[in-house]
Amino acid sequence: MAKPDEYIEVQGARVHNLKNIDVRIPREKLVVITGLSGSGKSSLAFDTIYAEGQRRYIETFSAYARQFLGSLERPDVDKIDGLSPVISIEQKTTNKSPRSTVGTITEIYDFLRLFYARAAEAYSYNTNKKMVSYSNEQIKELILNAYKEKKIVILAPIVKSRKGHYRELFEQIAKQGFVRVRIDGEIKEIEKGMRLDRYKTHDIEIVIDRLLVNKSSKKRLEETITTALYSGDNVLMVLEHNTSTPRYFSRDLMCPETGISYPNPEPNNFSFNSPKGACRTCNGLGKINKINLQKVIPNKSISIKSGGIIPLGEQKNSWIFKQLQLIAERYKFQLSDPISKIPNDALTIILYGGNEKFKVASKAMGITRNYEIDFEGIISFIENQYKLSESNAIKRWAKDFMDEVPCETCEGKRLKKEALYFKINHKNISELAQLDISELAFWFNTIEEKLTKKQLKIASEIIKEIRTRIQFLLNVGLDYLTLDRSSKSLSGGEAQRIRLATQIGSQLVGVLYILDEPSIGLHQRDNQKLINSLLNLRDVGNSVIVVEHDKEMIEHADFVLDIGPGAGHQGGEIVSEGTFKELKQHKTLTADYLNGTKKIEIPKKRRKGNNYKITLTGATGNNLKNITVDFPLGKLICVTGVSGSGKSTLINETLYPILNKHIYRGVKKPMPYKSIKGLQHIDKVIAIDQSPIGRTPRSNPATYTGVFSEIRNLYAKTNEASIRGYKPGRFSFNVKGGRCETCQGGGVRVIEMSFLPDVHVECETCQGKRFNRETLEIRYKGKSISDVLNMTIDDAVAFFENIPKIYRKLKTIHDVGLGYITLGQQSTTLSGGEAQRIKLASELSKRDTGNTFYILDEPTTGLHFEDIRVLMLVLNKLADKGNTILVIEHNLDVIKLADYIIDIGMEGGKNGGELICFGTPEKVSTHKKSYTAKFLKKELN
């Protein structure tokens, strides 16, 4: 019999839709939880097991510490035994800060900074020669040898190429007891009130001592060197008598020819998040916002009066237009003239500002008037508002006229000039951060031969740490990323695998890891790498729970839990549990798909399309290698390829912004391309991604799809509402009037407990119904507005079948397989897959033109085999009406249903970005080199 501590025992779990379930999960095994989307997998894994583990951890803090953390609510479960410390690796946890990069998340960049601070060699940015630094003793010996029996002057440089009159500086030097200075190469005595031309640049050095170098002057030389280094900030100059070229010596790193010096390197000097290392112009972001004139004056044929200058709008009676009127009088044009006719001098003042006085003669009155133009300039005004305004709204307004461009000072490298001249094996830290992980691994594997003995001794431990961390990234299939890639641009799956690699790197033991679909965005080819990483975590003594739909992952699991049988209120039960072999014997939906009883059928024939196509020529964004791609219209197109091959760059960063700009005047700038043809054949473009549909509990499927507005209109038209004079606003829980004011339409009240978690209690005034008594008295077919919000979509479809506007919207939500959610379900409780399907439903309910171009990025995320079947039915319906559906996808069940495949590859990162093959699935599957073809062939056979 198994020992009780070999299991995690959950008793009476009732979170969300779980039906009071009891479950035993074996510890130190790889456990997969699977089931339909919305069946309760995440409720069990994250909202029950993880939430309880997290709560117990916080309970161990003192009451004093807990008051700052806020406590966590105990999940609705009777008892959980055998729980070890829990780490969850979800998809939503990447940092959206522009300062966060792959290098900083994985800590590889921190080790690189240490490596460069301790082992790099410095070069001068003026002469590219190696920098030198000396001790006081070395400087003394060098001077004694180089200037034997010669007269020398020892100087301390204090001002280098700066403007100013420096009167106070000379007074200070005199107070310190020095009598001479060298100004711009000429030695002078300090006089009272001495000053220089303040508008010229000067070099000033203090004359510390003048002496003859011989054995007897050793002691004096020693003292002079100490004084000179103190006054000259660790730099001194030696000048032979009657010559003009000095020689520099420094305790810091210094260029022997030009005398520029660098501070001794610390890890902070290589950090773009520290003032010591960050480029001063862009503050270490690598990008700056610059005003785009095209956005300020998009159309020069319009006049200023008619709103040709977008930030100003049309002419009104304001100070700024009075100033513009003055400029018009001074430069003899009218505000009603097209902007193209305005003289250049006038336009320069309008845009960049100016200040001048002038006279205008008034013929009617026979007098001249004095006027003054004092105008800040529209561009300067926008820039100042962006930099100085406290208001976020104004900042956003100003940013609309700007483009993000690489910083001109550091050329997007984020660091100060000095940091980029520290090199190891001819590369600076920024060049290393731009290498793919696979190239970086090669660089580090061959680095020892290139280092000196001293460098090796210092850096051997650091190199070992960096190598192991790089290896973990390679193991989870992320060899195409670079360390300087911003974490904002990572997909959910990539971010999750980076966190997984970091966790494996931490080598913890006895921990329970919970992962949420780590195979998202991963090509079949890399799946095995990921599974091996998880098995590796298990083998060192951890328990791993994975919420997953991937067939391969389920096959490799030690134990599988299938939750169902349906979704939402029809799910929440354990329908089968056991090993993969045991699971296949059961009569469940998952088992049917695993053992081949049910499968997604391959269509008998592929669509021919409408003979039109969009041709994108010369796409070169990110890693794309100048490719030309045809997108045939009226078909279901699938873009495939390994992770990082350039699919998102081609579609989300190049094609979508072009289409969006063409149809809706979108402002997002597409990645570089040469030309595009065939845009006239589409009249709508819709991109549907997996971001949440709302950030607050007030947002729900009814409000997002717009069906709630129609329902409110319907309630306002009932006889009782008309008699009482109720308008649609009366039936909104977001505005005063009809809502319950005690809970402000939330249905629950939050009671703050100082040491305990906030408690959400049902509002005692409205009993969770959100509306006040009078509003709830209005009924349609015997149901109040609150009853409607609590209906499932399935029930609502039947209830509203006679109201076409409402029925159409609800039916599409039902058709995408979301019949189990309620109309008023908080959008924060929806999974990523559910949110995407609600967006899809919202778009489907609009009348399509038959010429619409839909773009979906991995729509199968979070979907069970059965959900994928339902989703593909909907997408096929759209394509049958003549619309074009473009899907970026790795899931073979979707790829095999496509009419046309575009395969990008071969590898990820720098070795990707090429068009490998295209055509029908049958044609692509015969390709010899394509990775997709290899797996697709198995599916089709």
Side-chain angles (χ1 to χ4, degrees):
M1 169 127 180
K3 294 194 209 80
D5 61 353
E6 286 181 5
Y7 288 93
I8 299 167
E9 289 208 38
V10 179
Q11 291 177 11
R14 293 176 293 277
V15 176
H16 296 326
N17 64 340
L18 296 178
K19 305 239 173 77
N20 199 11
I21 60 174
D22 301 340
V23 61
R24 292 176 79 196
I25 299 171
R27 288 166 55 91
E28 296 187 15
K29 295 275 186 272
L30 174 59
V31 178
V32 168
I33 303 180
T34 186
L36 283 170
S37 176
S39 61
K41 305 179 301 297
S42 297
S43 300
L44 176 62
F46 290 99
D47 303 331
T48 307
I49 298 172
Y50 172 62
E52 176 63 10
Q54 191 76 331
R55 188 187 70 81
R56 288 185 192 178
Y57 169 59
I58 286 182
E59 292 283 288
T60 60
F61 293 174
S62 66
Y64 176 70
R66 288 207 305 273
Q67 71 179 12
F68 299 109
L69 286 168
S71 322
L72 295 172
E73 204 172 329
R74 185 189 165 90
D76 190 0
V77 59
D78 295 339
K79 181 173 158 197
I80 300 184
D81 283 333
L83 200 55
S84 42
V86 189
I87 292 176
S88 102
I89 302 180
E90 296 177 76
Q91 289 160 35
K92 304 188 186 74
T93 41
T94 48
N95 192 342
K96 292 288 181 232
S97 156
R99 297 191 171 279
S100 165
T101 64
V102 171
T104 58
I105 307 173
T106 54
E107 295 169 7
I108 294 176
Y109 193 76
D110 301 335
F111 282 106
L112 277 185
R113 283 173 23 215
L114 187 62
F115 184 35
Y116 269 79
R118 299 290 175 258
E121 292 174 329
Y123 291 84
S124 159
Y125 56 72
N126 281 346
T127 60
N128 232 342
K129 295 214 168 129
K130 205 181 266 190
M131 306 281 271
V132 286
S133 69
Y134 303 112
S135 65
N136 288 21
E137 193 54 40
Q138 284 172 315
I139 295 174
K140 186 179 86 175
E141 290 305 319
L142 284 165
I143 292 176
L144 283 171
N145 293 336
Y147 298 101
K148 211 172 190 175
E149 301 300 333
K150 289 180 181 170
K151 278 187 176 177
I152 59 167
V153 182
I154 292 185
L155 308 160
I158 46 171
V159 171
K160 195 154 178 66
S161 305
R162 287 213 317 268
K163 292 178 181 175
H165 56 66
Y166 296 113
R167 200 182 76 201
E168 293 86 356
L169 179 69
F170 293 132
E171 282 170 12
Q172 265 175 339
I173 295 170
K175 276 182 191 162
Q176 288 168 11
F178 299 111
V179 287
R180 290 183 183 81
V181 283
R182 179 172 179 258
I183 300 166
D184 301 331
E186 196 181 329
I187 294 178
K188 294 182 176 176
E189 286 196 7
I190 299 175
E191 295 161 5
K192 200 171 179 190
M194 181 170 172
R195 57 190 297 157
L196 307 175
D197 184 340
R198 64 181 293 187
Y199 296 110
K200 287 186 178 164
T201 52
H202 302 288
D203 294 328
I204 304 173
E205 296 96 27
I206 304 173
V207 177
I208 304 289
D209 200 355
R210 301 187 293 175
L211 72 162
L212 177 69
V213 180
N214 53 30
K215 280 182 185 168
S216 60
S217 60
K218 259 188 192 178
K219 185 92 183 85
R220 179 173 166 188
L221 183 61
E222 221 167 88
E223 287 169 2
T224 304
I225 288 170
T226 310
T227 313
L229 289 173
Y230 174 77
S231 302
D233 202 12
N234 282 346
V235 180
L236 65 81
M237 291 158 66
V238 176
L239 192 65
E240 202 180 324
H241 198 56
N242 291 336
T243 61
S244 59
T245 29
R247 188 169 164 190
Y248 292 87
F249 297 94
S250 169
R251 258 190 239 146
D252 292 342
L253 289 164
M254 181 204 72
C255 170
E257 285 187 20
T258 57
I260 54 163
S261 70
Y262 299 167
N264 281 330
E266 284 302 316
N268 269 1
N269 293 109
F270 300 98
S271 165
F272 44 78
N273 293 332
S274 149
K276 284 188 171 173
C279 160
R280 286 203 181 93
T281 311
C282 61
N283 289 329
L285 291 173
K287 294 191 170 115
I288 49 173
N289 285 312
K290 205 172 176 188
I291 289 191
N292 179 349
L293 264 180
Q294 202 53 43
K295 290 180 181 175
V296 178
I297 307 175
N299 185 348
K300 287 197 166 181
S301 61
I302 300 175
S303 67
I304 295 180
K305 189 176 182 178
S306 311
I309 299 179
I310 300 294
L312 299 183
E314 294 186 7
Q315 185 168 7
K316 42 196 166 293
N317 190 15
S318 65
W319 178 85
I320 210 159
F321 275 99
K322 285 180 180 150
Q323 282 289 324
L324 290 175
Q325 191 58 55
L326 282 183
I327 296 171
E329 285 182 23
R330 165 76 181 81
Y331 288 97
K332 303 195 171 41
F333 68 91
Q334 303 290 323
L335 292 186
S336 52
D337 294 347
I339 293 175
S340 53
K341 297 272 170 65
I342 295 176
N344 282 342
D345 295 354
L347 207 53
T348 306
I349 288 188
I350 292 172
L351 293 175
Y352 300 100
N355 197 329
E356 63 169 310
K357 293 188 167 102
F358 67 97
K359 292 178 177 175
V360 175
S362 165
K363 286 177 185 167
M365 297 168 75
I367 54 173
T368 58
R369 284 188 176 177
N370 291 332
Y371 288 108
E372 184 174 358
I373 297 174
D374 181 9
F375 193 57
E376 184 182 3
I378 286 155
I379 285 184
S380 320
F381 175 72
I382 296 172
E383 281 173 349
N384 289 337
Q385 290 299 331
Y386 182 69
K387 283 179 195 153
L388 309 174
S389 173
E390 305 273 309
S391 148
N392 281 339
I394 289 179
K395 273 187 163 35
R396 275 201 305 275
W397 169 83
K399 202 173 174 183
D400 285 346
F401 300 106
M402 297 177 160
D403 283 342
E404 215 176 44
V405 295
C407 165
E408 290 149 6
T409 313
C410 64
E411 294 171 356
K413 295 197 170 98
R414 298 174 157 225
L415 295 170
K416 283 184 181 164
K417 186 158 61 172
E418 293 83 350
L420 298 171
Y421 281 85
F422 282 84
K423 296 186 182 179
I424 296 177
N425 189 14
H426 312 303
K427 283 202 183 298
N428 64 35
I429 192 164
S430 169
E431 288 167 334
L432 281 195
Q434 287 167 1
L435 294 178
D436 288 356
I437 299 290
S438 50
E439 292 174 2
L440 191 66
F442 178 75
W443 194 87
F444 269 102
N445 288 338
T446 55
I447 188 65
E448 272 116 340
E449 308 140 28
K450 313 282 191 337
L451 298 180
T452 63
K453 270 190 185 160
K454 184 184 167 199
Q455 283 176 316
L456 250 181
K457 198 170 180 185
I458 296 170
S460 59
E461 281 302 307
I462 306 175
I463 292 173
K464 211 161 81 186
E465 279 291 338
I466 293 176
R467 274 185 192 160
T468 50
R469 279 179 158 72
I470 290 175
Q471 194 51 49
F472 293 132
L473 283 177
L474 294 177
N475 290 350
V476 292
L478 292 173
D479 49 358
Y480 57 89
L481 291 180
T482 58
L483 292 185
D484 64 355
R485 168 100 174 249
S486 167
S487 66
K488 277 200 301 193
S489 68
L490 297 171
S491 69
E494 285 170 337
Q496 195 178 8
R497 293 199 294 283
I498 285 180
R499 290 196 58 214
L500 178 62
T502 315
Q503 285 303 335
I504 300 172
S506 65
Q507 298 286 327
L508 289 173
V509 172
V511 174
L512 168 59
Y513 287 102
I514 303 184
L515 291 96
D516 186 9
E517 287 209 68
S519 67
I520 291 171
L522 202 55
H523 193 271
Q524 283 353 71
R525 180 195 70 156
D526 300 327
N527 230 351
Q528 198 53 53
K529 284 185 189 172
L530 175 70
I531 293 169
N532 290 342
S533 294
L534 294 176
L535 294 173
N536 175 5
L537 262 186
R538 175 201 69 185
D539 295 342
V540 295
N542 296 302
S543 311
V544 183
I545 296 180
V546 186
V547 175
E548 188 56 276
H549 298 287
D550 183 67
K551 192 172 176 179
E552 225 177 318
M553 185 79 80
I554 297 173
E555 274 177 41
H556 283 83
D558 304 314
F559 188 82
V560 185
L561 277 176
D562 189 7
I563 299 189
H569 64 95
Q570 298 153 4
E573 296 170 39
I574 305 280
V575 287
S576 70
E577 55 188 305
T579 61
F580 177 65
K581 280 184 181 157
E582 291 165 11
L583 188 76
K584 280 170 83 170
Q585 310 307 318
H586 295 188
K587 287 271 170 286
T588 67
L589 200 54
T590 308
D592 287 349
Y593 276 101
L594 290 175
N595 59 30
T597 316
K598 271 194 155 186
K599 56 177 191 277
I600 296 174
E601 294 299 336
I602 297 168
K604 299 275 183 291
K605 59 178 205 274
R606 310 284 175 187
R607 286 182 196 82
K608 291 275 181 283
N610 56 17
N611 297 329
Y612 293 123
K613 62 181 181 186
I614 288 178
T615 304
L616 177 65
T617 311
T620 53
N622 289 343
N623 64 341
L624 295 179
K625 309 258 189 335
N626 193 11
I627 60 175
T628 296
V629 187
D630 285 340
F631 299 97
L633 300 180
K635 290 187 179 185
L636 174 58
I637 307 172
C638 203
V639 180
T640 61
V642 298
S643 313
S645 58
K647 305 182 298 295
S648 296
T649 303
L650 176 67
I651 306 304
N652 299 337
E653 307 285 329
T654 313
L655 180 68
Y656 175 62
I658 297 171
L659 300 182
N660 202 19
K661 195 170 184 177
H662 171 71
I663 296 166
Y664 303 115
R665 299 232 173 114
V667 291
K668 190 179 171 190
K669 206 172 166 193
M671 290 268 180
Y673 68 99
K674 283 194 186 112
S675 66
I676 188 159
K677 287 195 199 110
L679 292 181
Q680 69 275 22
H681 303 307
I682 57 166
D683 52 18
K684 241 170 125 179
V685 59
I686 293 165
I688 300 168
D689 61 7
Q690 287 225 344
S691 55
I693 58 172
R695 304 242 178 268
T696 68
R698 288 183 177 275
S699 153
N700 59 44
T703 53
Y704 182 83
T705 54
V707 71
F708 196 49
S709 306
E710 299 296 343
I711 293 173
R712 292 193 346 240
N713 291 339
L714 176 70
Y715 269 79
K717 284 178 186 156
T718 56
N719 290 337
E720 184 65 23
S722 305
I723 293 165
R724 296 189 187 189
Y726 290 169
K727 298 279 182 286
R730 177 84 199 190
F731 300 97
S732 164
F733 50 79
N734 287 330
V735 293
K736 285 182 179 175
R739 70 179 182 186
C740 161
E741 281 308 322
T742 314
C743 59
Q744 298 194 328
V748 289
R749 282 181 58 213
V750 180
I751 296 182
E752 290 181 17
M753 317 280 273
S754 42
F755 288 130
L756 296 164
D758 291 348
V759 179
H760 290 266
V761 293
E762 194 175 77
C763 169
E764 67 278 6
T765 315
C766 65
Q767 273 92 40
K769 294 201 165 108
R770 296 177 162 217
F771 295 92
N772 56 27
R773 190 173 53 83
E774 293 79 10
T775 311
L776 294 173
E777 283 168 1
I778 308 294
R779 293 180 176 266
Y780 170 76
K781 287 197 191 173
K783 300 270 187 205
S784 70
I785 188 90
S786 172
D787 298 334
V788 168
L789 282 175
N790 291 329
M791 276 183 191
T792 62
I793 301 287
D794 287 343
D795 298 342
V797 168
F799 186 75
F800 289 111
E801 67 181 335
N802 299 328
I803 317 286
K805 269 187 172 175
I806 299 176
Y807 176 75
R808 196 174 79 239
K809 286 187 175 173
L810 292 176
K811 186 81 176 81
T812 49
I813 303 178
H814 178 266
D815 289 347
V816 293
L818 291 178
Y820 58 88
I821 62 174
T822 62
L823 273 171
Q825 184 171 336
Q826 298 176 356
S827 64
T828 47
T829 62
L830 296 169
S831 67
E834 287 169 335
Q836 185 172 29
R837 282 183 292 162
I838 284 178
K839 288 183 187 175
L840 186 61
S842 171
E843 293 302 342
L844 296 181
S845 65
K846 296 172 184 168
R847 292 270 156 81
D848 63 87
T849 52
N851 295 328
T852 305
F853 198 101
Y854 293 92
I855 296 176
L856 290 91
D857 193 351
E858 292 199 50
T860 61
T861 303
L863 300 195
H864 184 267
F865 309 108
E866 177 63 15
D867 299 317
I868 294 174
R869 189 184 67 77
V870 174
L871 175 76
M872 293 317 291
L873 283 176
V874 176
L875 294 183
N876 276 319
K877 261 189 202 163
L878 277 177
D880 290 339
K881 289 182 183 170
N883 300 302
T884 308
I885 320 283
L886 188 143
V887 184
I888 301 175
E889 192 52 90
H890 294 289
N891 190 307
L892 291 167
D893 284 329
V894 175
I895 299 172
K896 70 183 185 188
L897 298 184
D899 302 310
Y900 190 84
I901 293 176
I902 296 168
D903 192 37
I904 310 283
M906 288 286 291
E907 305 291 332
K910 290 187 178 145
N911 298 327
E914 293 185 33
L915 183 60
I916 301 299
C917 54
F918 52 87
T920 61
E922 287 75 15
K923 181 185 163 195
V924 167
S925 67
T926 58
H927 195 274
K928 295 281 182 287
K929 285 186 182 169
S930 161
Y931 290 120
T932 308
K934 203 166 80 184
F935 293 99
L936 185 59
K937 201 170 192 173
K938 284 185 204 163
E939 274 293 315
L940 294 176
N941 297 339

